[in-house]
Amino acid sequence: MALHLFNSLTRRIEEFVPIDPARVGPDGRPYVGLYCCGPTVYDYGHIGNFRTFVFADVVRRHLGFRGYSVRTVMNITDVEDKIIRRVRETGRPLREFTRVFEDAFLEDLKTLNCHPGETPRATEHIGEIIALIQKLEQRGLAYATADGSVWFSIDKYQGCGCRYGVLKSIDFTQMRPGERVAADEYEKEAAADFALWKARVPEDGDVSWDSPWGPGRPGWHIECSAMSMALLGPSFDLHLGGEDLAFPHHEDEIAQSEGAALQKDGRPFVKYWLHGAHLLVEGKKMSKTLGNFFTLRDLRSKGFSGREVRQLLLSAHYRETFNFTLEGLAGARSALTRIDECVDKLTQLAGNQSGGADAALVGAFTEAMDNDLNVARAWGIVFDWVRETNRQLAAGSLSPAQAASALAAWHQVDSVLGLGPRPVAEIPPSLLALAQERVSAKRARDFARADQIREQVKAAGWIIDDTPSGPRLKPIAP
Ligand code: AMP
Ligand code: ZN
């Protein structure tokens, strides 16, 4: 079966065929361009944001696994209404303010083993943004108002035979042509002209750029149209984001990008639109006042690893709302331990043997993921495999060569899941010293002291494993 994905544009699961099937990437494999709306860097990312970014990372990994050469772009929105408000409140320069959260975001992605690809900043693409707005003006789809703002005319866009409301149906009976909305985020289903360029107002402080319409700053929607087309061209394969972005952000992106008519041969701006469902926490929308708001850093400070958070965020299908709980995170920890222990035993048994990947696991996993990234099914396959492998290991019925093939298969599966190997915990030097002291105690036949040390080390979360080559310290499995 070929890869199939749910396309929000057609509201159907469709076979994935690149928009330009003849094009190849630098490695000679079929080329795919993928854009994911990145963060607005005004605060630390919360785990809802990261659900969307982990989803995007799995799409990228699965495409790579299925043989595509994927060019990935994730923008950094570093100028927008919320940012300006915070810059004003903190009195810090824009760049200094956003850089803190941008750096934190990239570090958090690393913690989660996500690779964002190229990460263009909106403030470094003002030239392209202005050029795109000018193009829309030339085509009669954008108009400036006396204050020096520029707006996208939905009425004119529709007059050109284009459809506004392809991702979401819009109630045009309420539409009054020329009615405008200035905010970057606005009411659902509002059919109102939206801002492409916002004239500078005193509250903007230093945050403004010169433009043909006077000083101002770009609207949020045009930033993504300009950056995605600048890096991936006017037509590309996949555009991702959380479901809340479908309207107005993505609808506006389509209108601006297709309104500029840079696409060739009747191609669309984007062939496949994928939207990740939201994350709820303890059944509710995350909010600071409800006290159910978690950043990745909050979870790290509670002792959870990025790997555990990734596993949990990936445990449900991306189009289903997922309810996050701390118990769920504890469950992710034990799920990972089960996998890690099985992989450890396979590694020991395989020794230095190598082998081709076991086709059964890889085949079943691929089929599940090809079906619109059916991770629930994929995890079921992984845990059935762990159970069966453990049974065979216990029965002594696996040869080293078979263990090597099983491991090779697991590594292929994990190239998509992106869990990576169990992190090697660093052994505190004080415990290493105690382990050495225990060796001396045993030599001196002071077994009481040796036992005491074992208990002391255990209380610190480690087990002493006596091997022929000396003691080895292993962290106690959580
Ligand atoms: P923002 O930084 O607010 O622009 O959001 C970055 C990404 O996170 C966007 O793709 C949003 O759709 C997504 N997002 C925001 N809240 C949630 C949530 N609770 N669950 C999943 N994704 C979310
Ligand atoms: Zn965007």
Side-chain angles (χ1 to χ4, degrees), residues 37-40 46 48-49 51-53 241-242 244-245 277-279 286:
C37 287
T40 306
H46 60 61
N49 301 138
R51 177 179 191 202
T52 295
F53 299 130
D244 57 318
L245 298 192
H278 263 201
L279 178 92
M286 234 185 307

Side-chain angles (χ1 to χ4, degrees), residues 21-221:
R23 183 168 173 189
V24 292
D27 56 5
R29 307 195 309 166
Y31 169 88
V32 169
L34 184 159
Y35 184 89
C36 179
C37 287
T40 306
V41 282
Y42 69 103
D43 208 338
Y44 294 105
H46 60 61
I47 49 171
N49 301 138
F50 287 113
R51 177 179 191 202
T52 295
F53 299 130
V54 167
F55 148 62
D57 188 61
V58 165
V59 173
R60 177 191 66 78
R61 284 171 178 271
H62 191 57
L63 286 162
F65 174 66
R66 297 300 270 124
Y68 295 104
S69 175
V70 192
R71 180 166 178 190
T72 314
V73 177
M74 179 182 284
N75 69 298
I76 304 284
T77 298
D78 60 351
V79 53
E80 181 262 11
D81 292 352
K82 292 192 289 287
I83 296 180
I84 305 233
R85 207 176 310 130
R86 291 281 176 96
V87 162
R88 199 169 59 233
E89 287 161 7
T90 57
R92 296 172 71 183
L94 177 76
R95 204 181 176 81
E96 196 184 296
F97 172 81
T98 56
R99 208 47 62 85
V100 172
F101 298 111
E102 179 188 317
D103 289 350
F105 171 72
L106 295 174
E107 201 181 294
D108 286 352
L109 282 188
K110 254 194 215 133
T111 303
L112 291 168
N113 204 18
C114 293
H115 303 290
E118 291 154 84
T119 50
R121 300 184 184 107
T123 54
E124 288 168 7
H125 287 80
I126 301 290
E128 283 107 324
I129 292 170
I130 291 175
L132 185 57
I133 300 175
Q134 284 179 310
K135 184 83 197 163
L136 290 169
E137 252 188 336
Q138 282 161 19
R139 293 190 33 87
L141 303 182
Y143 60 96
T145 41
D147 67 334
S149 293
V150 185
W151 308 86
F152 185 88
S153 166
I154 292 181
D155 198 37
K156 293 275 167 49
Y157 180 65
Q158 288 185 306
C160 294
C162 293
R163 208 173 120 221
Y164 186 79
V166 284
L167 288 171
K168 189 172 189 97
S169 36
I170 311 284
D171 179 8
F172 287 103
T173 58
Q174 304 297 319
M175 183 179 165
R176 275 169 297 184
E179 192 173 330
R180 291 185 281 269
V181 51
D184 280 330
E185 287 175 84
Y186 53 87
E187 275 299 288
K188 293 218 176 315
E189 291 161 40
D193 294 357
F194 54 90
L196 298 168
W197 187 260
K198 303 187 189 199
R200 183 182 176 277
V201 289
E203 299 84 72
D204 290 348
D206 294 342
V207 184
S208 87
W209 288 263
D210 287 336
S211 81
W213 314 281
R217 61 180 170 101
W220 171 36
H221 316 300

Side-chain angles (χ1 to χ4, degrees), residues 274-340:
L274 270 57
H275 290 102
H278 263 201
L279 178 92
L280 296 179
V281 175
E282 314 280 351
K284 298 197 182 66
K285 195 177 152 117
M286 234 185 307
S287 90
K288 289 202 169 136
T289 42
L290 284 175
N292 64 352
F293 185 95
F294 293 113
T295 62
L296 179 64
R297 281 142 198 262
D298 294 333
L299 298 179
R300 296 271 287 143
S301 66
K302 287 183 189 295
F304 293 102
S305 66
R307 193 168 175 254
E308 288 160 351
V309 176
R310 183 179 174 103
Q311 201 281 335
L312 183 63
L313 293 180
L314 267 187
S315 58
H317 192 269
Y318 75 93
R319 284 193 289 120
E320 276 167 22
T321 303
F322 177 65
N323 190 32
F324 174 92
T325 60
L326 288 173
E327 293 84 73
L329 200 46
R333 177 171 287 184
S334 43
L336 283 174
T337 304
R338 256 185 292 155
I339 296 174
D340 289 340

